[in-house]
Amino acid sequence: EAGVAQSPRYKIIEKRQSVAFWCNPISGHATLYWYQQILGQGPKLLIQFQNNGVVDDSQLPKDRFSAERLKGVDSTLKIQPAKLEDSAVYLCASSLVSAGVSNQPQHFGDGTRLSIL
Amino acid sequence: EDQVTQSPEALRLQEGESSSLNCSYTVSGLRGLFWYRQDPGKGPEFLFTLYSAGEEKEKERLKATLTKKESFLHITAPKPEDSATYLCAVLNYGQNFVFGPGTRLSVLP
């Protein structure tokens, strides 16, 4: 079974520029998550999708971050404009059904490491 | 607010030296507690889910246990390939995952 695919693996931009990350979840997984992981910390949930719809985006800084999941499969996360504190690894995860339904574990991609200069 | 803490922050063991990692949590309602392993430059890899106090799960040299306030990950006779960061996460009744900061484990040959 192919895992969660993310691209790019690394990205370096200057502050105030924009950046986008892409995620392709495991085939058949209805739920998709984006996490931010700052060095030395655990992942922090940014947004959770169930198929096309947003389940939780309470920790997404909506003035600069946006995410979409078209057709309930791939997803993109965008930052515009970027700030220095956005330097982190952005992880995408997917699960078969919503964790709220059946406590399904999440399967993670290897992330995109973002550096802001 | 739900919180997860992990201790120690870092742990160095000699090969074969057994030890335990701790995950303490406060959560409004626990649906499940998850353990993950994370290697440098990789995403977290799922290890275990525990649902209720008293439950135990085992996989090779790892055993996870759960009480009402904490979980332990016991590592028996570790090998260098067990070196990684171990993360625990709780899932609450609001369907939110909250991760701890992790324990960095180094096993020396």
Side-chain angles (χ1 to χ4, degrees), chain A residues 9 33 35 37 40-43 48 56 91 98-101 103-106 108-110, chain B residues 31-32 34 36 38 41-46 49 51 87 91 95-97 99-102:
Chain A
R9 287 284 282 130
Y33 312 80
Y35 286 86
Q37 187 174 26
Q41 298 182 18
Q48 177 184 341
D56 180 6
L91 294 164
S98 169
V101 172
N103 303 339
Q104 288 283 317
Q106 302 158 83
F108 285 83
D110 288 337
Chain B
R31 294 198 60 145
F34 299 77
Y36 288 84
Q38 187 172 26
K42 299 287 188 179
E45 175 188 347
F46 171 70
T49 308
Y51 296 103
L87 298 163
L91 175 64
Q95 304 181 32
N96 303 121
F97 281 95
F99 277 82

Short mmCIF file of all heavy atoms in Angstrom, two decimals, chain A residues 9 33 35 37 40-43 48 56 91 98-101 103-106 108-110, chain B residues 31-32 34 36 38 41-46 49 51 87 91 95-97 99-102:
data_model
loop_
_atom_site.label_atom_id
_atom_site.label_comp_id
_atom_site.label_asym_id
_atom_site.label_seq_id
_atom_site.Cartn_x
_atom_site.Cartn_y
_atom_site.Cartn_z
N ARG A 9 9.80 18.29 -0.63
CA ARG A 9 10.38 17.84 0.63
C ARG A 9 11.02 19.01 1.38
O ARG A 9 11.01 19.03 2.61
CB ARG A 9 11.44 16.78 0.36
CG ARG A 9 10.87 15.44 -0.06
CD ARG A 9 10.28 14.68 1.14
NE ARG A 9 11.33 14.06 1.93
CZ ARG A 9 11.42 14.18 3.24
NH1 ARG A 9 10.56 14.92 3.92
NH2 ARG A 9 12.39 13.56 3.90
N TYR A 33 -5.42 15.34 7.41
CA TYR A 33 -4.98 16.30 8.42
C TYR A 33 -3.72 17.01 7.94
O TYR A 33 -2.85 16.40 7.33
CB TYR A 33 -4.62 15.59 9.74
CG TYR A 33 -5.61 14.59 10.27
CD1 TYR A 33 -5.68 13.30 9.75
CD2 TYR A 33 -6.46 14.92 11.33
CE1 TYR A 33 -6.56 12.37 10.26
CE2 TYR A 33 -7.35 13.98 11.84
CZ TYR A 33 -7.40 12.71 11.30
OH TYR A 33 -8.27 11.79 11.81
N TYR A 35 -0.59 19.14 9.78
CA TYR A 35 0.03 19.48 11.05
C TYR A 35 1.24 20.38 10.81
O TYR A 35 1.92 20.29 9.78
CB TYR A 35 0.53 18.23 11.78
CG TYR A 35 -0.54 17.37 12.41
CD1 TYR A 35 -1.19 16.39 11.68
CD2 TYR A 35 -0.88 17.54 13.75
CE1 TYR A 35 -2.16 15.58 12.27
CE2 TYR A 35 -1.84 16.75 14.35
CZ TYR A 35 -2.48 15.77 13.60
OH TYR A 35 -3.44 14.98 14.19
N GLN A 37 4.90 21.07 12.67
CA GLN A 37 5.79 20.56 13.71
C GLN A 37 7.04 21.44 13.75
O GLN A 37 7.88 21.41 12.86
CB GLN A 37 6.19 19.10 13.46
CG GLN A 37 6.99 18.51 14.62
CD GLN A 37 7.25 17.03 14.47
OE1 GLN A 37 7.29 16.49 13.37
NE2 GLN A 37 7.46 16.33 15.60
N GLY A 40 11.74 20.21 17.79
CA GLY A 40 11.73 19.88 19.21
C GLY A 40 10.35 19.81 19.83
O GLY A 40 10.23 19.58 21.04
N GLN A 41 9.31 19.98 19.04
CA GLN A 41 7.94 19.93 19.56
C GLN A 41 7.15 18.82 18.86
O GLN A 41 7.56 18.31 17.82
CB GLN A 41 7.25 21.28 19.34
CG GLN A 41 7.91 22.44 20.06
CD GLN A 41 7.16 23.74 19.85
OE1 GLN A 41 5.98 23.76 19.47
NE2 GLN A 41 7.83 24.85 20.13
N GLY A 42 6.01 18.49 19.46
CA GLY A 42 5.12 17.55 18.81
C GLY A 42 4.31 18.23 17.72
O GLY A 42 4.22 19.46 17.67
N PRO A 43 3.70 17.46 16.83
CA PRO A 43 2.87 18.05 15.78
C PRO A 43 1.67 18.79 16.36
O PRO A 43 1.06 18.34 17.34
CB PRO A 43 2.42 16.83 14.96
CG PRO A 43 3.40 15.75 15.28
CD PRO A 43 3.81 15.99 16.69
N GLN A 48 -8.34 19.78 9.71
CA GLN A 48 -8.78 18.41 9.45
C GLN A 48 -9.92 18.44 8.46
O GLN A 48 -10.89 19.19 8.64
CB GLN A 48 -9.23 17.73 10.75
CG GLN A 48 -9.77 16.32 10.57
CD GLN A 48 -10.31 15.73 11.85
OE1 GLN A 48 -9.99 16.19 12.94
NE2 GLN A 48 -11.11 14.69 11.73
N ASP A 56 -12.27 20.61 11.41
CA ASP A 56 -11.68 21.44 12.47
C ASP A 56 -10.58 22.29 11.86
O ASP A 56 -9.64 21.75 11.28
CB ASP A 56 -11.11 20.54 13.58
CG ASP A 56 -10.49 21.32 14.73
OD1 ASP A 56 -10.58 22.57 14.74
OD2 ASP A 56 -9.90 20.69 15.63
N LEU A 91 3.39 18.52 8.10
CA LEU A 91 3.06 17.11 7.93
C LEU A 91 1.62 16.94 7.48
O LEU A 91 0.72 17.61 8.00
CB LEU A 91 3.25 16.36 9.26
CG LEU A 91 4.66 16.27 9.82
CD1 LEU A 91 4.63 15.87 11.28
CD2 LEU A 91 5.48 15.28 9.03
N SER A 98 -13.07 9.10 9.91
CA SER A 98 -12.82 10.10 10.92
C SER A 98 -12.46 9.46 12.24
O SER A 98 -13.08 8.48 12.65
CB SER A 98 -14.05 10.98 11.12
OG SER A 98 -13.90 11.80 12.26
N ALA A 99 -11.46 10.01 12.89
CA ALA A 99 -11.06 9.50 14.21
C ALA A 99 -12.22 9.56 15.18
O ALA A 99 -12.32 8.75 16.09
CB ALA A 99 -9.87 10.29 14.73
N GLY A 100 -13.08 10.52 14.98
CA GLY A 100 -14.22 10.64 15.88
C GLY A 100 -15.20 9.50 15.75
O GLY A 100 -16.03 9.26 16.61
N VAL A 101 -15.11 8.76 14.65
CA VAL A 101 -16.02 7.64 14.42
C VAL A 101 -15.44 6.35 14.99
O VAL A 101 -16.14 5.59 15.64
CB VAL A 101 -16.29 7.47 12.90
CG1 VAL A 101 -17.08 6.21 12.63
CG2 VAL A 101 -17.01 8.70 12.37
N ASN A 103 -11.80 5.95 16.13
CA ASN A 103 -10.47 6.01 16.75
C ASN A 103 -9.37 5.49 15.83
O ASN A 103 -8.44 4.85 16.28
CB ASN A 103 -10.45 5.22 18.06
CG ASN A 103 -11.50 5.70 19.03
OD1 ASN A 103 -11.99 6.82 18.92
ND2 ASN A 103 -11.87 4.87 19.97
N GLN A 104 -9.51 5.76 14.56
CA GLN A 104 -8.51 5.29 13.61
C GLN A 104 -7.19 6.03 13.80
O GLN A 104 -7.17 7.24 13.96
CB GLN A 104 -9.01 5.54 12.18
CG GLN A 104 -10.13 4.62 11.76
CD GLN A 104 -9.60 3.24 11.40
OE1 GLN A 104 -8.59 3.13 10.73
NE2 GLN A 104 -10.29 2.21 11.86
N PRO A 105 -6.05 5.31 13.76
CA PRO A 105 -4.77 6.01 13.81
C PRO A 105 -4.53 6.77 12.52
O PRO A 105 -5.14 6.47 11.49
CB PRO A 105 -3.76 4.87 13.96
CG PRO A 105 -4.42 3.70 13.32
CD PRO A 105 -5.89 3.86 13.60
N GLN A 106 -3.67 7.74 12.60
CA GLN A 106 -3.31 8.50 11.42
C GLN A 106 -2.03 7.95 10.82
O GLN A 106 -1.15 7.50 11.54
CB GLN A 106 -3.09 9.97 11.79
CG GLN A 106 -4.28 10.61 12.44
CD GLN A 106 -3.88 11.82 13.24
OE1 GLN A 106 -3.72 12.91 12.71
NE2 GLN A 106 -3.68 11.64 14.52
N PHE A 108 1.14 9.13 8.49
CA PHE A 108 1.77 10.39 8.13
C PHE A 108 2.67 10.28 6.91
O PHE A 108 3.30 9.23 6.67
CB PHE A 108 2.65 10.89 9.30
CG PHE A 108 1.88 11.47 10.44
CD1 PHE A 108 1.33 10.65 11.41
CD2 PHE A 108 1.72 12.84 10.55
CE1 PHE A 108 0.62 11.19 12.48
CE2 PHE A 108 1.02 13.39 11.61
CZ PHE A 108 0.47 12.56 12.57
N GLY A 109 2.76 11.38 6.15
CA GLY A 109 3.79 11.53 5.16
C GLY A 109 5.07 12.01 5.83
O GLY A 109 5.11 12.23 7.05
N ASP A 110 6.13 12.17 5.04
CA ASP A 110 7.42 12.59 5.59
C ASP A 110 7.56 14.10 5.72
O ASP A 110 8.58 14.58 6.20
CB ASP A 110 8.56 12.01 4.76
CG ASP A 110 8.73 10.52 4.97
OD1 ASP A 110 8.29 10.02 6.04
OD2 ASP A 110 9.27 9.86 4.08
N ARG B 31 -10.80 9.38 24.18
CA ARG B 31 -11.29 8.35 23.26
C ARG B 31 -10.20 7.34 22.95
O ARG B 31 -10.48 6.19 22.63
CB ARG B 31 -11.77 8.99 21.96
CG ARG B 31 -12.98 9.86 22.11
CD ARG B 31 -13.65 10.08 20.78
NE ARG B 31 -14.08 8.82 20.17
CZ ARG B 31 -15.19 8.70 19.46
NH1 ARG B 31 -15.98 9.73 19.31
NH2 ARG B 31 -15.50 7.56 18.90
N GLY B 32 -8.96 7.78 23.02
CA GLY B 32 -7.85 6.87 22.74
C GLY B 32 -6.53 7.56 22.96
O GLY B 32 -6.44 8.79 22.90
N PHE B 34 -2.51 7.31 21.64
CA PHE B 34 -1.74 6.75 20.54
C PHE B 34 -0.24 6.95 20.80
O PHE B 34 0.17 8.02 21.25
CB PHE B 34 -2.11 7.45 19.23
CG PHE B 34 -3.56 7.31 18.86
CD1 PHE B 34 -4.54 8.06 19.48
CD2 PHE B 34 -3.95 6.43 17.86
CE1 PHE B 34 -5.88 7.94 19.14
CE2 PHE B 34 -5.28 6.30 17.51
CZ PHE B 34 -6.25 7.05 18.14
N TYR B 36 3.47 6.93 18.76
CA TYR B 36 4.10 6.98 17.45
C TYR B 36 5.61 6.99 17.64
O TYR B 36 6.13 7.51 18.64
CB TYR B 36 3.71 8.25 16.69
CG TYR B 36 2.30 8.27 16.17
CD1 TYR B 36 1.25 8.66 16.99
CD2 TYR B 36 2.01 7.91 14.86
CE1 TYR B 36 -0.05 8.69 16.51
CE2 TYR B 36 0.71 7.94 14.37
CZ TYR B 36 -0.31 8.33 15.21
OH TYR B 36 -1.59 8.36 14.73
N GLN B 38 9.07 8.46 15.62
CA GLN B 38 9.46 9.37 14.56
C GLN B 38 10.97 9.36 14.40
O GLN B 38 11.70 9.70 15.32
CB GLN B 38 8.96 10.81 14.83
CG GLN B 38 9.21 11.74 13.67
CD GLN B 38 8.57 13.11 13.84
OE1 GLN B 38 8.34 13.57 14.96
NE2 GLN B 38 8.24 13.76 12.74
N GLY B 41 13.81 13.33 9.98
CA GLY B 41 13.45 13.57 8.58
C GLY B 41 12.26 12.77 8.09
O GLY B 41 11.96 12.79 6.89
N LYS B 42 11.60 12.07 8.98
CA LYS B 42 10.45 11.24 8.61
C LYS B 42 9.21 11.69 9.37
O LYS B 42 9.29 12.37 10.39
CB LYS B 42 10.73 9.77 8.94
CG LYS B 42 11.92 9.19 8.20
CD LYS B 42 11.62 8.97 6.74
CE LYS B 42 12.73 8.22 6.05
NZ LYS B 42 12.43 7.99 4.62
N GLY B 43 8.05 11.25 8.86
CA GLY B 43 6.82 11.49 9.59
C GLY B 43 6.64 10.45 10.68
O GLY B 43 7.28 9.40 10.67
N PRO B 44 5.79 10.73 11.67
CA PRO B 44 5.53 9.76 12.74
C PRO B 44 4.96 8.46 12.18
O PRO B 44 4.15 8.48 11.25
CB PRO B 44 4.50 10.49 13.62
CG PRO B 44 4.71 11.94 13.35
CD PRO B 44 5.08 12.01 11.90
N GLU B 45 5.40 7.36 12.78
CA GLU B 45 4.94 6.02 12.38
C GLU B 45 4.11 5.45 13.52
O GLU B 45 4.57 5.37 14.66
CB GLU B 45 6.13 5.13 12.09
CG GLU B 45 5.79 3.68 11.77
CD GLU B 45 7.04 2.81 11.68
OE1 GLU B 45 8.14 3.35 11.62
OE2 GLU B 45 6.90 1.58 11.72
N PHE B 46 2.90 5.02 13.22
CA PHE B 46 1.98 4.52 14.24
C PHE B 46 2.51 3.24 14.89
O PHE B 46 2.99 2.33 14.21
CB PHE B 46 0.62 4.25 13.61
CG PHE B 46 -0.35 3.53 14.50
CD1 PHE B 46 -0.90 4.16 15.60
CD2 PHE B 46 -0.70 2.22 14.24
CE1 PHE B 46 -1.78 3.49 16.43
CE2 PHE B 46 -1.58 1.54 15.05
CZ PHE B 46 -2.13 2.18 16.15
N THR B 49 -2.51 1.88 19.77
CA THR B 49 -3.64 2.63 20.31
C THR B 49 -4.10 1.94 21.59
O THR B 49 -4.25 0.71 21.63
CB THR B 49 -4.84 2.66 19.35
OG1 THR B 49 -4.41 3.10 18.07
CG2 THR B 49 -5.91 3.61 19.87
N TYR B 51 -7.16 2.25 24.69
CA TYR B 51 -8.48 2.86 24.82
C TYR B 51 -8.93 3.05 26.26
O TYR B 51 -9.67 3.98 26.55
CB TYR B 51 -9.53 2.01 24.10
CG TYR B 51 -9.32 1.95 22.61
CD1 TYR B 51 -8.78 0.83 22.01
CD2 TYR B 51 -9.66 3.03 21.80
CE1 TYR B 51 -8.57 0.77 20.64
CE2 TYR B 51 -9.46 2.98 20.42
CZ TYR B 51 -8.93 1.85 19.85
OH TYR B 51 -8.74 1.79 18.51
N LEU B 87 6.52 9.71 20.31
CA LEU B 87 5.45 10.69 20.54
C LEU B 87 4.21 9.99 21.06
O LEU B 87 3.87 8.91 20.59
CB LEU B 87 5.08 11.40 19.24
CG LEU B 87 6.15 12.24 18.55
CD1 LEU B 87 5.76 12.52 17.10
CD2 LEU B 87 6.35 13.55 19.29
N LEU B 91 -6.66 11.47 21.83
CA LEU B 91 -7.83 11.85 21.04
C LEU B 91 -8.96 12.08 22.01
O LEU B 91 -9.31 11.20 22.80
CB LEU B 91 -8.19 10.73 20.06
CG LEU B 91 -9.46 10.94 19.24
CD1 LEU B 91 -9.32 12.13 18.31
CD2 LEU B 91 -9.79 9.67 18.45
N GLN B 95 -13.01 15.06 19.07
CA GLN B 95 -12.36 14.53 17.87
C GLN B 95 -11.06 15.26 17.55
O GLN B 95 -10.68 15.36 16.38
CB GLN B 95 -13.30 14.60 16.66
CG GLN B 95 -14.62 13.89 16.87
CD GLN B 95 -15.52 13.94 15.65
OE1 GLN B 95 -15.03 13.95 14.53
NE2 GLN B 95 -16.82 13.98 15.87
N ASN B 96 -10.42 15.78 18.57
CA ASN B 96 -9.15 16.48 18.37
C ASN B 96 -7.99 15.64 18.88
O ASN B 96 -8.06 15.09 19.98
CB ASN B 96 -9.16 17.81 19.12
CG ASN B 96 -10.30 18.69 18.70
OD1 ASN B 96 -11.12 19.08 19.52
ND2 ASN B 96 -10.37 19.00 17.43
N PHE B 97 -6.93 15.57 18.07
CA PHE B 97 -5.69 14.95 18.49
C PHE B 97 -4.80 16.01 19.12
O PHE B 97 -4.61 17.08 18.56
CB PHE B 97 -4.94 14.35 17.30
CG PHE B 97 -5.48 13.03 16.84
CD1 PHE B 97 -6.39 12.97 15.80
CD2 PHE B 97 -5.05 11.85 17.42
CE1 PHE B 97 -6.87 11.75 15.36
CE2 PHE B 97 -5.53 10.63 16.99
CZ PHE B 97 -6.45 10.57 15.95
N PHE B 99 -0.89 16.21 20.59
CA PHE B 99 0.38 15.50 20.70
C PHE B 99 1.22 16.05 21.84
O PHE B 99 1.20 17.25 22.14
CB PHE B 99 1.19 15.64 19.41
CG PHE B 99 0.81 14.67 18.34
CD1 PHE B 99 -0.28 14.90 17.52
CD2 PHE B 99 1.55 13.51 18.15
CE1 PHE B 99 -0.64 14.00 16.53
CE2 PHE B 99 1.21 12.61 17.16
CZ PHE B 99 0.11 12.86 16.35
N GLY B 100 2.02 15.17 22.44
CA GLY B 100 3.04 15.60 23.37
C GLY B 100 4.30 16.00 22.62
O GLY B 100 4.39 15.81 21.40
N PRO B 101 5.29 16.53 23.34
CA PRO B 101 6.51 17.02 22.69
C PRO B 101 7.48 15.90 22.31
O PRO B 101 8.43 16.14 21.56
CB PRO B 101 7.14 17.93 23.74
CG PRO B 101 6.63 17.38 25.03
CD PRO B 101 5.26 16.86 24.77
N GLY B 102 7.27 14.70 22.84
CA GLY B 102 8.13 13.58 22.46
C GLY B 102 9.27 13.34 23.43
O GLY B 102 9.67 14.22 24.20
#
